[in-house]
Amino acid sequence: MTEMPETTEIDGLADPRALPTPTPVAAPYFAAAARGELLYQRCARGHAFLYPRSLCPSCHSAELEWERSAGHGEVVTFAPVHRPPWNDLSRPTPYVVALVCLDEGPQLLSTIERVDPGQMHIGLRVEAVFEPVDEELGLVRFVPGAARA
């Protein structure tokens, strides 16, 4: 049985001074995250990837489609952060930054929330949760869970 996160939304982690500014290419990704969806791109030759680009990074095709991820994946590598990148960052430490490989294939760098850094390990199953900032901008985070079906 798949464990579900306590909630699919989190709040208060993003620093307003360090938010991404969505480009026209990336706007659908960030708007989807604001709605609680994780999108990735796939080219006409079948290569799936994140982060949003105007060309496939594998074959350089411009024939791209958006697909919805189930939001499940596993940790490829991670690093606990014990000191924030700037002194007045309001988020609590320690926190974990990880490279997550989604079950659909794309990988993305994010944070793992609701986890003790000492319990982290490569291969940990995770699922996406979302931090909506406004209607056009949301951030993808992950929490432990999402056993492979």
Side-chain angles (χ1 to χ4, degrees):
M1 180 173 182
T2 301
E3 285 183 41
M4 296 302 291
E6 294 170 26
T7 177
T8 59
E9 250 184 50
I10 56 176
D11 189 34
L13 297 176
D15 186 323
R17 299 165 300 171
L19 291 173
T21 302
T23 64
V25 170
Y29 169 82
F30 289 111
R35 296 187 308 270
E37 299 177 334
L38 176 52
L39 297 183
Y40 62 95
Q41 290 173 291
R42 186 179 302 275
C43 76
R45 292 186 179 173
H47 303 119
F49 58 92
L50 270 175
Y51 288 95
R53 299 177 181 142
S54 56
L55 297 174
C56 173
S58 297
C59 68
H60 307 291
S61 171
E63 294 179 55
L64 307 174
E65 296 289 331
W66 289 100
E67 294 187 16
R68 185 174 180 190
S69 170
H72 301 164
E74 72 179 43
V75 172
V76 175
T77 190
F78 67 93
V81 177
H82 294 278
R83 182 170 180 217
W86 48 90
N87 290 335
D88 60 346
L89 179 64
S90 59
R91 90 166 278 150
T93 57
Y95 61 92
V96 177
V97 174
L99 180 64
V100 173
C101 182
L102 297 174
D103 289 347
E104 295 88 356
Q107 296 183 358
L108 69 153
L109 190 65
S110 188
T111 58
I112 310 296
E113 306 301 331
R114 303 182 196 137
V115 67
D116 176 343
Q119 301 299 310
M120 284 295 302
H121 58 87
I122 291 172
L124 177 70
R125 295 291 300 165
V126 293
E127 70 180 286
V129 293
F130 302 91
E131 183 175 5
V133 175
D134 60 36
E135 289 183 10
E136 300 299 320
L137 179 65
L139 304 176
V140 179
R141 312 284 189 175
F142 289 90
V143 295
R148 197 176 287 270

